[in-house]
């Protein structure tokens, strides 16, 4: 018995699931990038303090 393939119908005005997922990924990536840009000065300051305190070499000197 041979299966009959039906032509794929395109929905007019609707978005496919894959397109919705791509749009959500772009939005989440944009928000993450904006947050990183916003917090960048604070992160640099924290890294400088961490290095002055000894970084990984400090071990258990500081709680």
């Amino acid at each position: 018995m041979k299966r009959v393939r039906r032509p794929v119908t395109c929905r007019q005005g609707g978005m496919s699931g894959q397109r919705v997922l791509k749009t959500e990924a772009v939005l989440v990536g944009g928000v993450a990038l904006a947050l990183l840009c916003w917090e960048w000065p604070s992160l640099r300051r924290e890294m400088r303090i961490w290095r002055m305190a000894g970084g990984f070499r400090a071990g258990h000197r500081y709680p």
Side-chain angles (χ1 to χ4, degrees), residues 1-2 7-8 10-11 13 15 17-18 20 22 24-27 31 40 42-43 47 53 55 57 59 61:
M1 184 181 207
K2 192 173 183 180
V8 177
C10 294
R11 291 180 293 170
M15 287 181 71
Q18 193 172 22
V20 170
K22 285 181 184 178
E24 287 178 354
V26 166
L27 287 174
V31 168
W40 186 252
S42 300
L43 291 172
M47 286 299 296
R57 295 175 299 165
R61 274 189 279 174

Side-chain angles (χ1 to χ4, degrees), residues 21-36:
L21 285 176
K22 285 181 184 178
T23 305
E24 287 178 354
V26 166
L27 287 174
V28 169
V31 168
L33 185 63
L35 183 64
L36 181 66

Side-chain angles (χ1 to χ4, degrees), residues 49-63:
I49 292 169
W50 180 70
R51 281 190 313 225
M52 285 191 289
F56 286 119
R57 295 175 299 165
H60 296 287
R61 274 189 279 174
Y62 304 104

Side-chain angles (χ1 to χ4, degrees), residues 2-8:
K2 192 173 183 180
R3 290 186 178 182
V4 177
R5 289 190 173 205
R6 287 182 256 159
V8 177

